[in-house]
Amino acid sequence: MTRERTTIVDSYDGKPLNGLNDLIFDQSGGLYFTEPMGSSATKPVGRVFYLPPNNREPILFLEGIAYPNGIAISANGQRVYISEFATNRIISVPSKEAKDARETPFCLRSI
């Protein structure tokens, strides 16, 4: 082990990314990651990005999230679950690999 670190991505659309938090890899090696910093229930500016395999340019996956803090992918790889911490809910969105990407996102509010 060399303990060497390599930055894979640090900006989007020419601007630095701010306070990245959680990440998860999909079945094809793509990477979903959250950017919650500066976001709140009254200022939902959090974003989720997708970095395709063998790529250094992230794709904006979802924005307008009230502090995205936690991300997961369904076992079949068809849905991405994002914890919207500031509103106490889970957002379910078709993944980049979803067979029917026309499906709309929906939210589950915790009790």
Side-chain angles (χ1 to χ4, degrees), residues 20-57:
L20 304 180
N21 192 354
D22 300 306
L23 60 86
I24 191 162
F25 287 93
D26 64 16
Q27 295 169 345
S28 67
L31 174 68
Y32 292 90
F33 60 93
T34 62
E35 181 192 43
M37 293 304 158
S39 186
S40 67
T42 58
K43 185 181 173 189
V45 296
R47 304 184 290 184
V48 174
F49 292 92
Y50 181 72
L51 187 64
N54 303 312
N55 204 316
R56 290 188 174 254
E57 291 297 321

Side-chain angles (χ1 to χ4, degrees), residues 1-15:
M1 180 172 10
T2 67
R3 298 191 186 269
E4 184 177 320
R5 296 179 186 177
T6 302
T7 300
I8 296 170
V9 61
D10 62 0
S11 64
Y12 170 73
D13 201 22
K15 297 176 187 161

Side-chain angles (χ1 to χ4, degrees), residues 36-111:
M37 293 304 158
S39 186
S40 67
T42 58
K43 185 181 173 189
V45 296
R47 304 184 290 184
V48 174
F49 292 92
Y50 181 72
L51 187 64
N54 303 312
N55 204 316
R56 290 188 174 254
E57 291 297 321
I59 297 166
L60 182 61
F61 181 69
L62 192 63
E63 62 184 331
I65 305 169
Y67 208 92
N69 187 23
I71 191 162
I73 298 175
S74 64
N76 66 4
Q78 297 299 296
R79 301 210 60 86
V80 176
Y81 302 106
I82 303 156
S83 170
E84 188 174 43
F85 184 77
T87 61
N88 197 32
R89 66 183 181 171
I90 303 293
I91 302 169
S92 175
V93 185
S95 72
K96 286 299 215 180
E97 296 182 346
K99 293 176 184 163
D100 188 1
R102 296 171 296 161
E103 184 180 342
T104 58
F106 65 88
C107 301
L108 305 168
R109 187 167 301 273
S110 107
I111 299 174

